[in-house]
Amino acid sequence: MRIGNDIVDLLDPEAHPGAVHPRFVARILAESETRSEAPQTNALRPVWRLWACKEAAYKAVARDHPGLPFSPRSFEVELGPPDRRAPGCRRHCCVRWQGRVLCGEVEETARWIHAVVCEDAAGAANAAPAALYDLRRVVAACGGAADASLFVRRLVIDEAAASLGLCPSRVSVHGRRPPWLAVDGVRRAALSISHHGAFVAAAWESGVFLSRSRPAKAAAPRSGRTRARPGTR
């Protein structure tokens, strides 16, 4: 499975309306997105919602296209209505790119927007909602960590080890573009990590990871729910 995720810190100076030029919005959004979301430079949440989906989709397709340049307008996003029954505010998303369809989910709070997008190995658009339940996702405040990339990798190791009932020393993260998870040095699952401003985030294949790392009678993995650390909401 190809996985991508992206986190946007809405209070980061880069995301502030005054820091965004109107041409930036015109450059990254397709015409259909401009009509559907009606973004304005003084209300950029809709723009960052679309941006997170585009970034996540790019990370997913770039797994088998090394060196692929990021052209935001080429990733066209369709968003479903918000599901306010879930923690935070969630909605499904569909991203089209060069005839391929990737599906996923966007979650947002007053402070951040997090998008997870995936596509199965055959390129089928069956990743939402069913396949998302085989993913784990995490958002956390990095607390001014000097190296956000190292912080999120350690976070993923701790979360994955806890879900498997393993010692963290047996779980490791390898690679950079793209990264992947291993148990006892053996590659087990696709992984996507991201960081922006005061937050880090990640998503990985929990179902595959669990089935390859535990006995067949082990408990089924939990659904792909965000586990936000203290201070992230």
Side-chain angles (χ1 to χ4, degrees), residues 202-232:
W204 64 92
E205 296 175 278
S206 63
V208 174
F209 195 39
L210 283 162
S211 65
R212 293 176 181 175
S213 307
R214 301 177 84 177
K217 294 183 180 181
R222 290 178 291 177
S223 64
R225 295 164 57 187
T226 300
R227 181 177 178 182
R229 292 298 180 87
T232 65

Side-chain angles (χ1 to χ4, degrees), residues 15-18 20-22 25 29 33-35 37-48:
H16 192 274
V20 178
H21 195 282
V25 177
L29 300 188
E33 295 167 343
T34 303
R35 291 196 305 267
E37 288 293 299
Q40 303 292 329
T41 54
N42 62 347
L44 286 174
R45 179 179 286 267
V47 175
W48 295 128

Side-chain angles (χ1 to χ4, degrees), residues 2 7 34 57 68 100-101 164-165 183 187 193 228:
R2 304 171 186 88
I7 183 81
T34 303
L68 177 73
R100 291 164 62 173
V101 180
L164 294 168
V183 172
R187 184 169 183 163
I193 60 178

Side-chain angles (χ1 to χ4, degrees), residues 112 139-143 151 155 159 198-199 227-233:
W112 48 258
V139 175
C142 55
F151 180 92
L155 175 65
E159 292 285 339
F199 295 95
R227 181 177 178 182
R229 292 298 180 87
T232 65
R233 294 181 184 260

Side-chain angles (χ1 to χ4, degrees), residues 21-141:
H21 195 282
R23 291 181 182 176
F24 170 77
V25 177
R27 190 168 63 246
I28 68 170
L29 300 188
E31 183 178 349
S32 61
E33 295 167 343
T34 303
R35 291 196 305 267
S36 63
E37 288 293 299
Q40 303 292 329
T41 54
N42 62 347
L44 286 174
R45 179 179 286 267
V47 175
W48 295 128
R49 186 182 299 131
L50 294 168
W51 173 269
C53 293
K54 290 168 182 279
E55 275 271 14
Y58 167 73
K59 291 175 182 178
V61 301
R63 289 177 175 271
D64 49 13
H65 290 81
L68 177 73
F70 181 37
S71 175
R73 283 179 62 91
S74 67
F75 292 86
E76 190 167 348
V77 181
E78 292 182 15
L79 293 167
D83 180 3
R84 302 187 185 279
R85 297 170 298 176
C89 178
R90 297 189 182 191
R91 66 181 78 203
H92 293 303
C93 66
C94 177
V95 186
R96 290 180 169 80
W97 178 77
Q98 295 189 1
R100 291 164 62 173
V101 180
L102 299 90
C103 294
E105 188 176 65
V106 187
E107 181 178 5
E108 54 189 282
T109 69
R111 183 65 194 268
W112 48 258
I113 295 174
H114 182 223
V116 178
V117 172
C118 55
E119 178 187 48
D120 71 14
N126 65 353
L132 283 173
Y133 297 155
D134 286 332
L135 299 181
R136 283 187 69 89
R137 55 193 291 176
V138 60
V139 175

Side-chain angles (χ1 to χ4, degrees), residues 9 22 36 106 184 188 228:
D9 181 351
S36 63
V106 187
D184 297 331
R188 294 298 189 189

